Amino acid sequence: MSKRILITVGIFIVGITSFNVFNIPFLFDSSREKIEEKEPLNTIEDSIVKKLMVKLNKKYVGVDVKTTSNKELVIQVVGDEEYLKSVQIDMEFIAKGVIKDTELEDYIVVFNRWDWIGNTDEIINKDHQLILKTLMKGLRNYQIVDHISIDTHQFIIVHTSIKDLDKNARKVALEIEEKANEILQSGKLNSISNIDSYKIKVKMNGEVIN
């Protein structure tokens, strides 16, 4: 009788132990699901948008990318209608290549002209917009140009993706400076009375290299 009781108790203990062991993964799985639920849902979407931004900005100047709730991938381009039409097919090809087999694959690629640049001060912004747009269009063949800005001391700063500060980098920086000055003096900016007072600076990682 005592042997039978011992056998019954043993089976019961083994059964409980087995149940706990087999349910450990389920406990971990449920906690993992809770953790995953707390993670931002747009993290993957943001990384895809950033990837596309990097790819487009390696080739073009003055490009921004965003998504909308209507499943649109909006590519905003600084420039006139003619320039937008000239780059639209290539940009769409690049965009579709990046979003293929991702969460954004079904998004419609939409293009807009991007008119906002830099300072929000309306008095300053009119002249600055014209200068920046003209320079961005004139320097668009330089793939290392990331973006262009103007500071309060009337320095026009061309920000580049140059990585190594060697003789060739300085040569390219001087070439960009020369081209930018050529654009400033081309007559396209004659409506700006003090255009001669602007100075070109080329930067790499925040450091002036010309």
Side-chain angles (χ1 to χ4, degrees):
M1 180 72 179
S2 59
K3 287 183 179 180
R4 186 178 300 171
I5 293 172
L6 288 172
I7 291 170
T8 304
V9 171
I11 293 170
F12 179 73
I13 291 171
V14 170
I16 292 175
T17 305
S18 300
F19 176 80
N20 288 334
V21 169
F22 285 120
N23 275 276
I24 287 174
F26 294 105
L27 292 173
F28 281 120
D29 284 344
S30 62
S31 64
R32 189 183 296 115
E33 286 175 3
K34 289 179 181 178
I35 293 171
E36 289 174 353
E37 286 175 0
K38 291 179 181 179
E39 290 179 353
L41 297 176
N42 63 344
T43 301
I44 298 175
E45 181 178 312
D46 288 344
S47 67
I48 297 167
V49 169
K50 286 178 182 177
K51 182 179 178 181
L52 177 56
M53 276 280 293
V54 169
K55 202 153 189 175
L56 287 174
N57 278 290
K58 282 182 178 179
K59 190 170 183 180
Y60 299 100
V61 179
V63 181
D64 191 33
V65 182
K66 64 180 182 180
T67 56
T68 70
S69 57
N70 296 324
K71 288 196 169 185
E72 292 178 333
L73 181 69
V74 182
I75 300 177
Q76 297 176 302
V77 183
V78 173
D80 54 24
E81 290 292 342
E82 183 182 352
Y83 175 63
L84 179 58
K85 288 178 182 178
S86 70
V87 299
Q88 187 169 329
I89 295 175
D90 185 49
M91 284 188 178
E92 185 171 0
F93 178 78
I94 293 171
K96 287 184 175 179
V98 171
I99 67 175
K100 185 179 180 181
D101 299 326
T102 71
E103 293 185 354
L104 304 185
E105 186 173 22
D106 296 330
Y107 278 48
I108 299 171
V109 181
V110 177
F111 287 88
N112 285 333
R113 285 182 58 216
W114 187 23
D115 289 323
W116 185 89
I117 305 173
N119 203 308
T120 56
D121 188 311
E122 291 182 1
I123 298 173
I124 298 174
N125 199 37
K126 285 184 178 180
D127 285 348
H128 283 192
Q129 274 194 358
L130 180 58
I131 293 170
L132 292 172
K133 285 182 179 181
T134 304
L135 284 171
M136 278 191 261
K137 186 175 181 180
L139 296 174
R140 64 174 178 258
N141 290 329
Y142 290 93
Q143 296 181 13
I144 58 169
V145 174
D146 288 335
H147 64 282
I148 305 169
S149 61
I150 300 177
D151 71 11
T152 54
H153 302 290
Q154 292 184 303
F155 282 113
I156 297 171
I157 304 165
V158 181
H159 303 262
T160 72
S161 59
I162 296 173
K163 295 181 179 179
D164 299 316
L165 189 55
D166 55 17
K167 289 182 179 179
N168 186 57
R170 291 187 184 280
K171 182 181 177 183
V172 173
L174 290 172
E175 187 180 323
I176 291 173
E177 180 188 8
E178 185 179 344
K179 179 64 177 177
N181 278 316
E182 183 185 315
I183 294 168
L184 292 183
Q185 304 304 322
S186 65
K188 296 177 181 178
L189 297 168
N190 283 346
S191 60
I192 300 173
S193 58
N194 61 340
I195 191 63
D196 291 334
S197 64
Y198 287 89
K199 304 297 180 185
I200 304 293
K201 296 292 180 183
V202 181
K203 280 191 174 183
M204 175 198 75
N205 296 328
E207 180 184 350
V208 175
I209 58 176
N210 66 315

